[in-house]
Amino acid sequence: MSEGPKWTAEQTLAIETRGTNLLVSASAGTGKTAVLVERVISLVTGDPPVDIERFLVVTFTEKAAQEMKARVRAALEKKTAENPDDRALKRQLDLLEKAHISTIHAFCLRVLRRFFHQVDLDPSFRVLDTGEADL
């Protein structure tokens, strides 16, 4: 039976730190996604559990955001399969679609769309597509 990942001291600190916001920054291939998934899962299954829709997890690429959400889903599905009567786990799976796991660009766009009036922005603003931006 596998014991799971062997976390470094810094990774363990990132996973277990509570009561504060956290920035995880490291170079490619160092396990950032695995650490963040472990942190999210430990918080949504903790005592007391924190609803996954209360998190803000931002990445720099759509691919990374999709991978993060897929890994969180897989971890929650595994825990749900291990504990089929745990309604709290099922709730977290239901809330996953509302979770704020996205690129920094998507997060900023969501904030601007919600609070356009506070920054005197035309509510019909749009983001340039790649072709327009290239021009």
Side-chain angles (χ1 to χ4, degrees):
M1 184 171 169
S2 172
E3 294 180 25
K6 300 281 190 214
W7 303 112
T8 67
E10 292 84 4
Q11 289 171 326
T12 301
L13 185 63
I15 293 165
E16 296 178 355
T17 296
R18 300 294 185 262
T20 187
N21 294 326
L22 187 67
L23 171 66
V24 174
S25 176
S27 58
T30 57
K32 290 181 301 294
T33 300
V35 166
L36 286 171
V37 168
E38 187 70 20
R39 178 174 173 77
V40 168
I41 296 302
S42 71
L43 286 163
V44 300
T45 61
D47 186 23
V50 179
D51 283 341
I52 198 162
E53 67 181 350
R54 295 184 47 110
F55 292 96
L56 172 61
V57 181
V58 293
T59 66
F60 288 101
T61 67
E62 284 293 331
K63 181 180 177 187
Q66 290 170 358
E67 180 181 347
M68 173 74 68
K69 197 172 252 190
R71 286 193 193 186
V72 169
R73 178 179 307 286
L76 283 172
E77 287 173 345
K78 180 180 179 192
K79 287 201 173 283
T80 301
E82 293 167 355
N83 304 285
D85 296 328
D86 189 332
R87 295 172 68 187
L89 284 172
K90 291 177 184 173
R91 174 177 163 71
Q92 296 306 321
L93 267 171
D94 290 342
L95 291 174
L96 185 57
E97 288 310 311
K98 294 181 181 178
H100 301 287
I101 301 173
S102 67
T103 64
I104 188 75
H105 301 89
F107 168 71
C108 292
L109 182 59
R110 187 170 55 243
V111 169
L112 287 173
R113 290 207 186 285
R114 183 169 180 192
F115 298 106
F116 66 90
H117 57 284
Q118 293 187 354
V119 292
D120 200 26
L121 187 63
D122 183 338
S124 63
F125 80 93
R126 65 184 190 86
V127 177
L128 295 174
D129 65 31
T130 306
E132 291 170 320
D134 287 345
L135 285 176

